[in-house]
Amino acid sequence: MSEEMFKELQELLGENFTTSTAARYAYSSDASIYRAMPDAVARPMNTEEVSKIVKLANKYKVPITPRGAGTGLCGAAVPIKGGITLDMQAMNKIKSITPENLFCIVEPGVIYDHLNNELKSAGYQFPGSPGSAEAANIGGMVSLNASGMRAIKYGATRDYVLGLEVVLPTGEIMRVGTHTLKNSSGYQLEKLFVGSEGTLGIITEVTLKIVALPKAVAAALVSFDKVEKAGQAISNIIAHPIIPSSMEIMDNTCITAANRGIDAGLPDVPAILIIEVDGPIEEVGREIRQVEEVCKASGATHIIVSDDKAVYGLWHEARKSVLPALGGFSPDLKIVSLADDMGVPISRVADAVIGFKEISDRNKVIIATYGHASDGNLHTKFLIDPSKEDDWKRAEKAVEEIYDLVLSLDGTVTGEHGVGMAKAPYMKKERATAIKTMKAIKDALDPNNIMNPGKMFEWESDHIIMNLRYPAEVNFDE
Amino acid sequence: MSDEKKYIKGDKLKALYDQTLLCTSCGYCKSVCPAFKGTLWDHNTARSKMVLAYGLLQGDIPVDDSVVQSIFECTTCGDCMRRCPSNVKTVDVLMAARQELAGLHEVPETMELALENIEKFGNPQGEPASAREEFLPDEAKAKLRTGGDVLVFLGCVASNTDMKVTSAIFKILERAGVSYTTLGEKEPCCGFLNYLAGYESDAFGKSLLEQIETLNPRPKMVVTPCPGCYRTLHHIYPESGVDLGLDSRHILEFFDELIEKGDLIVTKKLEGNVLYHDPCDLGRHAEMYDEPRKLLSHFAEVKEFKFNREQSHCCGGGGGLQSTNYDISSSMAKARLTEANELEGDFIVSACPACKSMFSNAASDFKKETGKKFKVRDLVEIVHKNTKGRES
Ligand SMILES: Cc1cc2nc3c(=O)[nH]c(=O)nc-3n(C[C@H](O)[C@H](O)[C@H](O)COP(=O)(O)OP(=O)(O)OC[C@H]3O[C@@H](n4cnc5c(N)ncnc54)[C@H](O)[C@@H]3O)c2cc1C
Ligand code: SF4
Ligand code: SF4
């Protein structure tokens, strides 16, 4: 960054602009495996400031990487080409909640849980429910099209974005979408920014659809002696038809981790499903009984049903704790975020889980599988010694095999966490026929390629293990 | 700081290297970290402290003012450690990081002043030693360094800033007929702030031991109204090999015992909503949750903050933050009062002179802004105002 630009930014932002060692290092990583230091961190307070910063970056052709809470798992917020990290967390106002319009308007730095706490008092919710709900920002969620365990019934973030205010890579402020529940007025550009991972512009305001909170909830904790049977139960429930509000699968590695991590008291079996239904009271009672019957018929070994929030809340907490709690699974091994959220057709969940286990055994890497079984979105977490080059290499081989399997099952390399760097080469395979169009859109909006460059289809390597935030040099050229 | 780059030695942090790798950067701790809530900067979160500790250990980053500031922008409240689903020992890591910095004589300037005061005057406030006995009630003055069953260790904050609490303590002890003594100007600083700054505190323990040895009869127990002193006497000295040779307790435990024995008799109850605030050093760090509630329940029906016990929010006064970033620390106190206001609390009772001072300052601002008046009290004051001795 030139001296001139530095001065201009400092004048514009004062204390909200820093090139300090601590800030640059702290902002060099997110929850992914990567590290790259920005040259500076800037924290805008409003759209005008964002626009001014972007204009400067465009003028001096300096990369900008927007950042929310930095909980992304694919390195989308890691500034791989340096430049400015734009911390959006201070733009955190809930501008309005209007249940009578069925939407709310928020700044991008609003934390998911904070928004839902406010919505709750009006009897409403934004039901994305990511595992990172207590930290993740709405801007980050929109940019990754995040979702969570309730996607089968409630959809993903994209289904809630009615409108956006965006600062384009030229600094121009654009409004897309509307303050209405429907619109057919031209290209649905607001959807273009959903999942754009900060590569097309900076979201400065989001109009989000909201839905009423359910009147009642009940859940079942179901044990299986074989993963296949859990998979069968999932398909049988959907085919019944029952559309649960969530249906989470955890394999034994995850169960053990949750039990150790938060003392969750889950049954020590090969696989469990945590199935939740919500809706009107009578319907919930009927549906949870149906769930029980279908699970029994599918070979469940044990079922606990509860409509007590304290009980099923703990099951959800246990599921939520899996990712971080896997970290404590074994003293020598650490959890790293690789192949973290593949999507497959619901009927192929069991094939995928079994396939992942084979890949894990073949490559001698511990791979834990869990996820949103009801919408076919599976997470794996890898446990490796992150200081060993060989562990990383075996892990990358397993990652490749997992994505090949997923694509052969007609799936996607990412259901909700995004591409960033961790899935870039595989996304290029999956979207082979769309890459040209994606590039054309990017070139049209961002001619100087300042917005979060080097990611997604711009990723140049066939490998993903590089720029690690772990103590290993991994060299693929030997 | 000079232009030459400084790097940590690594001898203190090395043992916790594994913890820095254990952190998955999930960000859960951001949701509870008051230092983050107060600044909204990522480099102040517990997560980033793990990242910075890793960077320091790897030699990725040198020690400079910004690193020192981030490591110290923290109340050591420990809420991150409670929240962490990977059970990362966050506070151990950040304390080891502070020790590394101390090894390079790097502490924030504002804290440096307090440490200099400790060296020169024996207390962080820079008061002359004689101030410790100037405001003692006459009964206590008569018992200075006489020896007795119970040694009252007032601590620097209570001694130098809270005459109400100090005087109440001795009035209660007199009332209950306790054989006590106190050190007055000979009371050394416990060294907790030095510990928080990353330095050793055992020398302070040794000075205290020397003073104890001069007392005749030698006390069997030392009691203190300050959770920081309590942690130091009860946990930190023994861990660093200093054995005071007597039982160390928070004074509230002792007062409860006096009530149970009938040496103190409760005379009246408090009127209004009484909220108990868990000081971090007494709660999360010393796991003393039931005892203060039990004592307070003699005087009132104890109402709870929404976030209480293990989940209690920090008053902002911990970890030396009050001296390193007063704005954040006072915003924490204010946030806690806002919680109290939502619960229609009248009394905010704690068992820590630092919490009381934070809340008292915040309460006067709160009153100006909203008109709402809180009664901020230390448990000691509640016991003093609402008990009598056997004979009376
Ligand atoms: C423990 C854990 C559990 C998780 N569980 C889930 C889950 O269940 N479901 C799920 O979908 N995800 C999950 N995630 C991933 C992650 O939390 C989500 O993807 C979340 O949406 C990221 O939000 P963030 O604010 O942290 O974004 P960041 O990581 O900061 O950024 C993500 C991307 O958004 C861009 N961005 C951020 N703000 C803006 C803006 N204002 N304008 C333009 N671009 C912007 C960044 O450039 C980056 O490309 C989990 C992560 C963790 C650590
Ligand atoms: S100890 Fe408290 S203030 Fe310090 S990092 Fe942890 S949560 Fe934040
Ligand atoms: S909660 Fe624990 S694992 Fe998660 S970021 Fe904080 S310290 Fe790391």
Side-chain angles (χ1 to χ4, degrees):
Chain A
M1 186 187 307
S2 69
E3 189 108 327
E4 251 176 316
M5 181 175 178
F6 174 89
K7 274 199 189 131
E8 288 184 58
L9 281 168
Q10 208 167 35
E11 244 164 58
L12 175 66
L13 298 168
E15 280 187 351
N16 288 319
F17 175 72
T18 171
T19 54
S20 79
T21 311
R24 288 173 55 231
Y25 200 73
Y27 284 84
S28 67
S29 54
D30 55 9
S32 72
I33 57 173
Y34 300 106
R35 166 162 358 267
M37 299 253 270
D39 297 313
V41 181
R43 185 167 72 165
M45 293 292 159
N46 52 51
T47 307
E48 286 64 39
E49 279 185 1
V50 174
S51 167
K52 285 180 185 159
I53 298 167
V54 175
K55 277 183 183 153
L56 278 174
N58 199 34
K59 177 171 137 196
Y60 291 101
K61 299 192 176 45
V62 168
I64 292 196
T65 303
R67 177 177 168 113
T71 64
L73 293 161
C74 59
V78 175
I80 195 71
K81 302 281 182 194
I84 303 164
T85 283
L86 200 68
D87 179 351
M88 300 301 290
Q89 293 178 108
M91 285 183 66
N92 61 357
K93 283 191 224 50
I94 297 176
K95 291 185 163 176
S96 67
I97 293 176
T98 48
E100 64 278 21
N101 289 326
L102 282 180
F103 64 68
C104 62
I105 302 177
V106 301
E107 289 187 335
V110 170
I111 293 168
Y112 175 87
D113 268 357
H114 291 186
L115 175 59
N116 269 327
N117 284 343
E118 294 299 318
L119 290 171
K120 198 175 168 187
S121 44
Y124 278 80
Q125 60 169 335
F126 163 46
S129 336
S132 50
E134 64 194 77
N137 292 181
I138 301 301
M141 290 185 66
V142 172
S143 302
L144 294 175
N145 188 24
S147 54
M149 60 184 192
R150 301 201 167 84
I152 179 162
K153 184 159 181 178
Y154 292 105
T157 301
R158 69 172 171 214
D159 303 312
Y160 292 83
V161 175
L162 299 176
L164 297 174
E165 179 186 76
V166 179
V167 173
L168 290 170
T170 51
E172 198 183 319
I173 300 167
M174 175 175 78
R175 282 200 161 272
V176 286
T178 54
H179 288 164
T180 56
L181 284 188
K182 304 197 299 188
N183 90 74
S184 298
S185 65
Y187 293 163
Q188 307 283 301
L189 288 183
E190 64 282 9
K191 303 290 187 219
L192 176 62
F193 288 88
V194 178
S196 66
E197 303 191 8
T199 62
L200 298 180
I202 293 148
I203 297 164
T204 48
E205 187 190 281
V206 186
T207 305
L208 275 180
K209 188 169 90 173
I210 54 178
V211 295
L213 282 165
K215 294 274 180 292
V217 178
L221 175 65
V222 191
S223 306
F224 294 92
D225 57 6
K226 281 206 164 60
V227 176
E228 291 88 330
K229 289 185 189 166
Q232 196 53 54
I234 295 162
S235 298
N236 291 347
I237 287 170
I238 306 287
H240 189 275
I242 304 164
I243 302 297
S245 46
S246 73
M247 182 152 54
E248 297 289 298
I249 189 166
M250 286 165 69
D251 75 357
N252 188 262
T253 312
C254 298
I255 294 169
T256 309
N259 284 345
R260 284 188 201 164
I262 64 158
D263 215 357
L266 297 175
D268 185 9
V269 292
I272 57 165
L273 291 179
I274 301 166
I275 306 168
E276 184 194 273
V277 293
D278 71 8
I281 294 172
E282 324 73 57
E283 209 171 289
V284 162
R286 186 165 37 80
E287 278 199 341
I288 200 73
R289 279 192 299 280
Q290 287 173 347
V291 164
E292 215 177 338
E293 281 159 23
V294 177
C295 286
K296 261 189 213 147
S298 311
T301 52
H302 191 64
I303 305 175
I304 309 172
V305 169
S306 176
D307 59 5
D308 179 354
K309 195 169 180 203
V311 176
Y312 68 76
L314 187 65
W315 301 340
H316 287 320
E317 189 60 27
R319 155 62 190 86
K320 225 178 99 176
S321 77
V322 165
L323 195 165
L326 275 167
F329 191 75
S330 153
D332 299 327
L333 303 178
K334 299 289 171 295
I335 174 181
V336 295
S337 183
L338 287 170
D340 44 296
D341 81 319
M342 296 65 58
V344 293
I346 301 168
S347 60
R348 311 306 295 271
V349 165
D351 295 337
V353 176
I354 292 161
F356 298 163
K357 177 82 177 82
E358 284 164 10
I359 292 167
S360 154
D361 293 344
R362 195 159 54 238
N363 290 286
K364 299 190 180 55
V365 196
I366 298 181
I367 301 178
T369 305
Y370 60 103
H372 318 309
S374 53
D375 57 30
N377 191 190
L378 292 170
H379 301 307
T380 63
K381 282 291 161 283
F382 283 49
L383 286 159
I384 64 168
D385 180 342
S387 60
K388 291 202 175 124
E389 184 181 12
D390 188 52
D391 277 32
W392 282 107
K393 285 187 168 168
R394 277 186 287 111
E396 192 186 82
K397 180 133 182 310
V399 169
E400 253 175 60
E401 290 181 18
I402 284 180
Y403 285 129
D404 283 343
L405 170 66
V406 163
L407 295 181
S408 77
L409 293 173
D410 204 14
T412 173
V413 299
T414 168
E416 57 183 24
H417 294 172
V419 178
M421 297 179 271
K423 291 156 214 164
Y426 319 108
M427 173 262 198
K428 286 202 265 186
K429 243 191 217 177
E430 180 192 329
R431 295 296 177 102
T433 60
I435 297 294
K436 212 169 96 191
T437 309
M438 289 193 200
K439 272 189 178 149
I441 293 171
K442 168 83 170 154
D443 289 345
L445 290 180
D446 186 12
N448 290 322
N449 197 18
I450 57 162
M451 290 303 310
N452 207 356
K455 311 260 176 78
M456 295 168 105
F457 48 82
E458 287 181 7
W459 185 253
E460 281 159 7
S461 176
D462 292 336
H463 296 286
I464 54 165
I465 306 297
M466 54 187 72
N467 296 95
L468 295 176
R469 70 172 164 100
Y470 294 97
E473 281 289 330
V474 183
N475 191 350
F476 288 101
D477 298 322
E478 299 154 13
Chain B
M1 194 174 286
S2 78
D3 284 348
E4 201 184 319
K5 285 188 175 171
K6 283 187 186 176
Y7 290 86
I8 62 161
K9 280 203 207 113
D11 52 331
K12 307 287 184 195
L13 256 177
K14 207 157 45 194
L16 292 158
Y17 174 58
D18 202 53
Q19 295 293 314
T20 66
L21 291 178
L22 189 60
C23 167
T24 60
S25 274
C26 69
Y28 283 13
C29 52
K30 283 179 80 171
S31 71
V32 297
C33 175
F36 174 66
K37 287 185 199 165
T39 62
L40 294 182
W41 280 116
D42 260 8
H43 46 281
N44 292 337
T45 61
R47 170 172 88 167
S48 291
K49 288 178 174 72
M50 301 307 105
V51 171
L52 290 171
Y54 173 86
L56 287 169
L57 261 174
Q58 291 294 105
D60 284 358
I61 49 170
V63 174
D64 67 10
D65 289 346
S66 72
V67 173
V68 175
Q69 197 183 339
S70 285
I71 297 290
F72 277 88
E73 211 114 281
C74 162
T75 62
T76 66
C77 71
D79 212 7
C80 46
M81 199 141 90
R82 174 197 61 83
R83 183 65 195 99
C84 178
S86 301
N87 296 325
V88 178
K89 294 180 186 139
T90 50
V91 177
D92 294 6
V93 172
L94 68 92
M95 285 311 301
R98 288 183 179 194
Q99 286 161 13
E100 294 282 359
L101 301 183
L104 299 169
H105 305 291
E106 292 294 348
V107 290
E109 254 172 52
T110 38
M111 204 168 197
E112 196 131 31
L113 180 69
L115 295 174
E116 271 170 29
N117 281 339
I118 292 175
E119 207 176 319
K120 275 195 218 147
F121 303 102
N123 62 76
Q125 296 83 10
E127 296 291 339
S130 57
R132 286 192 194 262
E133 39 193 77
E134 225 167 276
F135 299 100
L136 292 184
D138 291 343
E139 306 90 308
K141 279 186 180 153
K143 306 260 169 72
L144 276 166
R145 301 176 284 278
T146 53
D149 289 345
V150 176
L151 169 63
V152 179
F153 188 90
L154 286 172
C156 304
V157 183
S159 292
N160 291 320
T161 67
D162 200 330
M163 308 315 149
K164 277 193 188 156
V165 166
T166 48
S167 131
I169 287 174
F170 297 109
K171 297 243 156 81
I172 296 166
L173 294 172
E174 289 288 336
R175 192 182 283 166
V178 174
S179 148
Y180 73 90
T181 184
T182 192
L183 292 168
E185 64 177 25
K186 296 284 179 191
E187 181 181 293
C189 172
C190 73
F192 187 52
L193 194 70
N194 301 66
Y195 166 82
L196 291 175
Y199 293 105
E200 306 279 340
S201 58
D202 53 342
F204 296 89
K206 284 176 193 151
S207 332
L208 175 58
L209 186 56
E210 269 171 31
Q211 289 303 324
I212 291 172
E213 298 307 351
T214 65
L215 301 174
N216 189 11
R218 195 182 199 279
K220 300 183 193 70
M221 182 196 296
V222 56
V223 295
T224 175
C226 170
C229 299
Y230 170 72
R231 256 186 88 191
T232 313
L233 269 53
H234 199 80
H235 297 283
I236 299 169
Y237 288 164
E239 277 161 22
S240 57
V242 178
D243 180 2
L244 297 177
L246 39 66
D247 193 11
S248 51
R249 314 180 71 178
H250 191 284
I251 206 160
L252 70 88
E253 299 174 89
F254 184 60
F255 285 168
D256 188 55
E257 235 172 67
L258 294 177
I259 293 176
E260 292 296 337
K261 278 199 295 191
D263 291 343
L264 284 178
I265 295 159
V266 177
T267 51
K268 51 183 194 304
K269 304 260 177 184
L270 302 177
E271 277 174 26
N273 284 329
V274 180
L275 288 161
Y276 176 70
H277 164 85
D278 291 278
C280 304
D281 285 315
L282 200 61
R284 272 187 292 271
H285 286 290
E287 294 180 12
M288 200 184 282
Y289 299 111
D290 293 333
E291 295 84 344
R293 287 173 171 76
K294 178 163 178 288
L295 175 58
L296 187 54
S297 69
H298 293 298
F299 306 97
E301 188 191 326
V302 184
K303 274 195 94 175
E304 295 289 356
F305 277 94
K306 182 170 172 212
F307 295 93
N308 59 63
R309 301 173 80 97
E310 291 85 353
Q311 297 189 17
S312 176
H313 289 160
C314 179
C315 73
L321 185 70
Q322 208 182 345
S323 61
T324 53
N325 193 331
Y326 186 75
D327 288 348
I328 309 181
S329 81
S330 58
S331 75
M332 292 181 198
K334 198 170 162 201
R336 195 67 166 153
L337 291 190
T338 308
E339 291 173 34
N341 196 29
E342 280 162 15
L343 295 165
E344 296 179 358
D346 298 307
F347 283 86
I348 297 175
V349 181
S350 191
C352 170
C355 294
K356 186 186 154 194
S357 140
M358 291 304 300
F359 290 141
S360 300
N361 291 339
S364 64
D365 291 345
F366 208 87
K367 186 166 169 253
K368 273 182 223 143
E369 285 164 28
T370 67
K372 161 90 187 189
K373 190 168 182 294
F374 288 108
K375 293 173 191 152
V376 178
R377 300 283 186 272
D378 192 287
L379 253 172
V380 166
E381 294 168 276
I382 306 279
V383 176
H384 172 232
K385 280 268 156 70
N386 303 291
T387 57
K388 60 178 185 179
R390 267 180 207 280
E391 292 83 7
S392 43

